[in-house]
Amino acid sequence: MGLAEEVNRDAFRDSIATVDEEGKRNWIYPKKPKGRFYKWRSYVSYVLLAFFFSAPFIKIGGEPLLMLNVIDRKFVFFGQIFWPQDFYLFVIGMITMIVFIILFTVIYGRLFCGWVCPQTIFMEMVFRKIEYWIEGDFRKQRKLDQMKWNGEKIRKKTLKHAIFFGLSFIISNLFLIYIIGDHDWFSLVSDSPKEHVGGLTSMVIFTGVFYGVFAKFREQVCTVVCPYGRLQGVLLDSKSIVVAYDFVRGEKRGRFKRREDREEQGKGDCIDCHACVDVCPTGIDIRNGTQLECINCTACIDACDAIMDKVGFDRGLIRYASEENIREKKEFTFTSRMFAYTGVLGVLVGVLLMLFAFRTDAEATILRAPGTIYQETEDGRLSNLYQYKVINKTNEELPINFQIESDHGEIKMVGKDLVVKKGEYIEGAFFIILDESQLDGMKTKVEVGVYGGGRRLDVNTTSFIGPVK
């Protein structure tokens, strides 16, 4: 990295771009981006926004596509209900996600931040576009903020912030729907406010938070709040693919002059136009290398490519590349490490999906009652006492019965018939009765099937204690 360090020594900084030397906020006025990457990012954002606004209302088997009801401890993913009893899946999912993030970032950098992060999508593809529409491009925005309050400024600022607040209110309601469901949300907004003080208070708080984030806090979320943004410094290496400036090709920088032999003058392809700086939504100069604030949004790539086209140079002065690609003048190719890491990612996701796919509607635990021995029944058979616990993972009541998975033997319940309410569990006891001729010795393995709704939900293997032969 020797050349890059020499190039960037004069521009080195040890503070974030949004804070000045006195610790005050530097307000960022990014130029409106345009170009092929911005177009594709817009398409991806529209799809994700459509999913976000429609997911809570799409029903699969009577359940929403997605719901995270932490209040009732009920979580729904693609119509499948998960209760606290599925905590092991949550743990496995979290471990998978953490490993996924680490491996994905090591290979592909902050691709997630620039393309699918909700903060980036809402800020750049919704709120920022509204700001451009009302106040104009970056120079007009700066001029508007610097002018004294007059009719034009009052009108534009009032309109912008009214729309921002309205959108924040809509987003906060959607978040509530994701938490409590559309049915409870409708009750919240249609019933008397006195009956839902807590819910309405949450709605107001959420609205204030979203408005504050998108109207004021903005890009600082990525540098101050987001843990993923803070972690990138230890996750990236010289082989990670990031949005990078080709310092080998671009240096030494110099203004563009027609008919000038730049090679003879010792100049690189960077004409020092600052177009990449103007469009950056976090206020950095990508030519100083990978920085904490960079979210890999590709705005600088589009801006630089447009300038290269105008001056007749090849595109790609700023591009997706690794430090190694640039330093050694290599084209981007998938390395064996990338294939290996991507394969690991695929396996992790596959295992998690398999666990979800094979998850049962009920989970049972059957154990022989401790401290008990076999008993002899009136008809000369032997019995053992067992304790059971059955968890219902569905969203409806589940009648349960037990059966021995063999031709012989009997189960005698202690108590009434079993009906497990949705998301709850029941405990109880039963006797397994076997003929002595069926025993293999002092301990005999017995399989007990758990049935509900006319189908087998689970199978438990336990032991039956008999006399010593």
Side-chain angles (χ1 to χ4, degrees):
M1 193 61 185
L3 178 56
E5 290 175 353
E6 181 180 345
V7 167
N8 296 328
R9 186 175 291 117
D10 294 336
F12 176 79
R13 60 186 175 86
D14 58 1
S15 61
I16 61 175
T18 54
V19 178
D20 62 20
E21 295 179 356
E22 298 178 356
K24 296 180 180 179
R25 173 77 176 275
N26 280 331
W27 192 263
I28 306 299
Y29 297 93
K31 182 180 179 181
K32 185 177 181 180
K34 59 181 179 180
R36 57 193 176 113
F37 281 107
Y38 185 71
K39 179 181 71 174
W40 284 109
R41 280 178 57 221
S42 296
Y43 293 156
V44 171
S45 298
Y46 297 151
V47 171
L48 293 175
L49 285 170
F51 176 82
F52 171 75
F53 281 97
S54 61
F57 305 104
I58 299 174
K59 305 291 183 180
I60 299 178
E63 294 295 333
L65 190 66
L66 189 63
M67 187 172 75
L68 305 171
N69 191 339
V70 294
I71 300 172
D72 295 331
R73 297 177 298 171
K74 175 184 176 182
F75 307 92
V76 182
F77 297 95
F78 298 96
Q80 294 294 313
I81 306 169
F82 297 88
W83 302 95
Q85 294 84 7
D86 295 305
F87 184 74
Y88 73 97
L89 285 176
F90 173 79
V91 173
I92 295 172
M94 287 298 295
I95 294 172
T96 301
M97 185 179 73
I98 291 170
V99 175
F100 187 96
I101 288 173
I102 293 172
L103 295 183
F104 187 88
T105 305
V106 167
I107 302 173
Y108 302 106
R110 293 182 71 177
L111 191 68
F112 169 85
C113 297
W115 289 78
V116 298
C117 174
Q119 166 68 18
T120 302
I121 290 175
F122 277 109
M123 185 68 252
E124 302 304 322
M125 297 299 172
V126 179
F127 287 87
R128 192 84 77 182
K129 287 187 175 184
I130 293 170
E131 196 166 59
Y132 289 135
W133 171 61
I134 296 173
E135 296 185 355
D137 210 344
F138 69 124
R139 289 193 177 91
K140 291 183 179 179
Q141 290 179 22
R142 186 182 290 112
K143 182 180 178 182
L144 184 68
D145 284 349
Q146 292 172 349
M147 73 167 56
K148 294 181 179 180
W149 285 96
N150 54 28
E152 178 188 3
K153 186 171 182 177
I154 292 173
R155 184 178 66 255
K156 288 184 176 181
K157 292 293 183 182
T158 301
L159 177 60
K160 183 183 81 169
H161 286 283
I163 294 176
F164 278 11
F165 191 84
L167 279 174
S168 300
F169 179 74
I170 293 172
I171 295 171
S172 71
N173 275 270
L174 273 168
F175 265 84
L176 277 179
I177 295 173
Y178 273 103
I179 294 173
I180 65 177
D182 56 349
H183 182 269
D184 288 347
W185 172 83
F186 184 76
S187 298
L188 176 69
V189 298
S190 59
D191 293 345
S192 171
K194 295 180 181 179
E195 298 180 15
H196 303 283
V197 175
L200 293 173
T201 302
S202 301
M203 189 184 298
V204 172
I205 292 174
F206 277 136
T207 300
V209 168
F210 289 124
Y211 173 76
V213 165
F214 296 117
K216 298 295 182 182
F217 206 48
R218 299 193 163 197
E219 69 284 339
Q220 293 192 114
V221 170
C222 304
T223 55
V224 178
V225 178
C226 179
Y228 180 45
R230 305 293 293 184
L231 276 173
Q232 80 152 340
V234 296
L235 295 179
L236 301 180
D237 61 20
S238 62
K239 296 181 180 180
S240 301
I241 302 301
V242 295
V243 172
Y245 164 68
D246 189 341
F247 56 86
V248 174
R249 172 186 158 190
E251 302 298 327
K252 183 179 178 181
R253 306 171 197 171
R255 291 289 181 178
F256 177 74
K257 296 179 181 178
R258 294 187 180 278
R259 302 182 184 87
E260 177 187 39
D261 189 333
R262 294 181 68 85
E263 186 175 353
E264 183 180 308
Q265 296 297 320
K267 296 179 181 180
D269 283 358
C270 178
I271 66 172
D272 206 19
C273 63
H274 282 254
C276 57
V277 181
D278 290 340
V279 297
C280 181
T282 59
I284 67 168
D285 187 340
I286 192 64
R287 297 173 298 175
N288 292 338
T290 300
Q291 295 154 70
L292 170 68
E293 302 94 325
C294 181
I295 58 172
N296 284 204
C297 68
T298 70
C300 55
I301 297 180
D302 285 331
C304 186
D305 283 349
I307 296 299
M308 293 295 102
D309 289 343
K310 288 180 180 179
V311 298
F313 296 165
D314 292 335
R315 289 185 171 191
L317 182 59
I318 301 175
R319 64 184 186 274
Y320 276 118
S322 68
E323 178 190 323
E324 187 178 84
N325 293 150
I326 291 172
R327 187 177 60 246
E328 299 179 8
K329 298 183 179 180
K330 293 180 178 179
E331 292 295 326
F332 167 70
T333 56
F334 266 87
T335 64
S336 57
R337 185 186 75 153
M338 290 182 177
F339 279 117
Y341 280 13
T342 303
V344 172
L345 294 178
V347 170
L348 288 172
V349 174
V351 169
L352 187 61
L353 291 176
M354 188 170 61
L355 287 173
F356 279 103
F358 287 99
R359 171 181 168 272
T360 58
D361 288 342
E363 185 176 319
T365 302
I366 300 173
L367 298 172
R368 198 173 62 83
T372 61
I373 60 174
Y374 67 91
Q375 294 178 330
E376 189 172 338
T377 63
E378 294 180 356
D379 58 3
R381 294 185 296 171
L382 302 177
S383 70
N384 278 194
L385 178 63
Y386 295 84
Q387 295 174 335
Y388 65 83
K389 180 178 179 179
V390 180
I391 300 169
N392 180 7
K393 299 179 181 179
T394 68
N395 198 32
E396 54 190 27
E397 289 187 347
L398 197 61
I400 296 291
N401 65 290
F402 300 97
Q403 297 179 21
I404 296 178
E405 300 294 294
S406 64
D407 296 334
H408 305 285
E410 177 188 349
I411 290 180
K412 185 177 181 180
M413 302 301 302
V414 177
K416 56 184 179 181
D417 294 338
L418 309 182
V419 177
V420 193
K421 295 182 179 179
K422 62 179 182 180
E424 296 185 3
Y425 68 90
I426 59 170
E427 295 176 307
F430 60 74
F431 290 97
I432 293 181
I433 304 173
L434 297 177
D435 232 33
E436 189 171 350
S437 61
Q438 297 175 264
L439 305 184
D440 298 328
M442 185 176 175
K443 278 190 177 183
T444 302
K445 296 294 183 183
V446 179
E447 285 191 346
V448 179
V450 183
Y451 290 80
R455 56 195 177 94
R456 191 172 72 179
L457 304 176
D458 198 4
V459 175
N460 268 236
T461 301
T462 186
S463 59
F464 187 96
I465 302 297
V468 179
K469 291 186 178 181

